[in-house]
Amino acid sequence: MKNEIQKILRKWEGNLRRNGSMDATRFSQVSNEIDCYIRTSKNTQVARLLTSCRDSTLSASPNNDKILRNVRHALFLLQKEINDEKRELGFDVDLGQRQRYEAISKKLYSEKLRFKGNKSLREADVTLMEGRDSRKVRRIVEKRMCQEYHRQNKHRSSYRCSGKARHEMDRAVSYQIFNLGQLDGHANQRGIGTHWKKIVDYSSGEYVMKKKVEYATLEEAQLHIELYKFAHPKDKRPMHAYYCEHCGHYHIGHDRGTETAA
């Protein structure tokens, strides 16, 4: 039930962010799913936010900015609730993809892009590349990851009997796309509050500059600060969100005496 509500909220969030309006299609079905969650859930705060967002769909002059804030707040609280349940069952919500695809990640990172002057695939940032080049990189990653998923799961009897395979392949592609955009050893790129962060690349064991997660709005970045604090309760360092002139999005980071993006 929580996963269905998440899908509804994400669809609303996407429509509000892109089009400035709620999606009123399938309202009867969506309303029934929300009613079912409200009746069975003990999280009164999420239930109250869902009721407010649903009722705003029928308003003659809805306050879309307020609705968007409520949708994002509900998404954050719902994800927190899901993570709590997973931890109680003994699952670590941060593991899985890296261990499963570590071998293919190393192969991908060693590939060269002929159409970019033999530039390393690992350095390609699809969010900053031109549309044609970005699509080429996406096709390369999608082909490699789908082949790897097929190799790992072709022996399963249920492999072709449901939509789970397609979902898992899409998730694997997104994972590798997210990991692109690394620069080898450019320590001078790491300023205070920049587009980059310094990490150890597990495929080579060397320090690289990895792009930070990009958020479309300041509110979205601030919500992820709260999610980070929840997931890392021992980290007491203050954090902030800031605008990055390099990519035109928002990042989050620990305070280092400035909030300026380089």
Side-chain angles (χ1 to χ4, degrees):
M1 175 58 67
K2 295 184 181 67
N3 291 332
E4 285 75 13
I5 298 299
Q6 264 192 326
K7 291 178 183 178
I8 293 171
L9 289 171
R10 283 171 180 160
K11 188 174 183 179
W12 282 353
E13 195 269 344
N15 282 316
L16 285 165
R17 182 161 47 86
R18 291 189 299 268
N19 307 323
S21 62
M22 297 278 282
D23 181 15
T25 59
R26 298 174 54 249
F27 177 77
S28 178
Q29 181 180 350
V30 168
S31 182
N32 289 336
E33 290 179 357
I34 291 175
D35 285 338
C36 183
Y37 173 81
I38 291 173
R39 286 195 300 268
T40 58
S41 174
K42 297 180 180 179
N43 194 330
T44 57
Q45 193 172 5
V46 174
R48 186 169 60 251
L49 290 168
L50 283 172
T51 303
S52 175
C53 294
R54 181 193 58 188
D55 294 346
S56 298
T57 307
L58 304 175
S59 174
S61 56
N63 185 343
N64 290 325
D65 291 336
K66 181 180 179 180
I67 297 172
L68 182 59
R69 288 196 298 270
N70 288 341
V71 168
R72 286 172 171 162
H73 192 192
L75 268 172
F76 167 72
L77 293 174
L78 198 58
Q79 185 62 56
K80 182 177 179 181
E81 184 179 347
I82 291 172
N83 288 348
D84 280 341
E85 292 177 354
K86 287 183 177 180
R87 287 191 176 93
E88 288 177 2
L89 294 173
F91 293 107
D92 191 330
V93 297
D94 299 323
L95 298 180
Q97 295 289 80
R98 173 175 169 176
Q99 288 73 15
R100 192 175 302 128
Y101 298 114
E102 184 170 0
I104 190 64
S105 295
K106 293 180 180 180
K107 292 180 180 178
L108 273 171
Y109 289 170
S110 64
E111 287 196 28
K112 304 294 182 180
L113 299 173
R114 293 180 183 176
F115 66 95
K116 296 295 286 185
N118 285 331
K119 178 181 179 180
S120 173
L121 175 63
R122 180 176 62 185
E123 297 181 20
D125 189 344
V126 296
T127 61
L128 300 178
M129 298 173 72
E130 295 181 0
R132 184 178 179 182
D133 293 343
S134 176
R135 287 191 293 273
K136 285 184 179 180
V137 172
R138 287 181 183 274
R139 284 198 295 269
I140 292 170
V141 175
E142 183 176 19
K143 180 179 179 180
R144 301 292 188 273
M145 295 310 298
C146 289
Q147 288 173 337
E148 178 65 14
Y149 182 85
H150 175 73
R151 186 187 67 80
Q152 292 185 14
N153 297 276
K154 60 184 179 182
H155 61 279
R156 289 165 45 188
S157 59
S158 60
Y159 176 45
R160 297 186 182 275
C161 299
S162 68
K164 183 178 180 181
R166 170 54 58 186
H167 168 74
E168 292 291 343
M169 281 189 277
D170 288 343
R171 185 170 176 231
V173 172
S174 297
Y175 168 75
Q176 293 296 358
I177 291 291
F178 170 75
N179 283 329
L180 299 181
Q182 297 184 9
L183 302 178
D184 284 323
H186 293 296
N188 59 332
Q189 291 274 354
R190 179 65 179 102
I192 297 177
T194 69
H195 178 75
W196 311 97
K197 60 181 177 181
K198 187 176 180 181
I199 65 169
V200 176
D201 175 30
Y202 65 88
S203 66
S204 64
E206 299 177 352
Y207 279 106
V208 298
M209 306 309 300
K210 174 75 170 64
K211 66 177 181 179
K212 291 187 175 182
V213 178
E214 300 162 0
Y215 304 104
T217 64
L218 180 62
E219 291 78 10
E220 184 180 355
Q222 290 171 338
L223 280 176
H224 279 82
I225 289 178
E226 298 303 320
L227 190 59
Y228 176 89
K229 290 179 178 178
F230 170 75
H232 303 84
K234 294 183 179 180
D235 190 348
K236 302 299 183 182
R237 295 173 294 172
M239 299 182 68
H240 70 279
Y242 61 90
Y243 178 76
C244 176
E245 296 179 357
H246 183 77
C247 65
H249 293 84
Y250 290 87
H251 302 306
I252 63 176
H254 292 93
D255 287 347
R256 297 175 183 270
T258 181
E259 295 187 1
T260 304

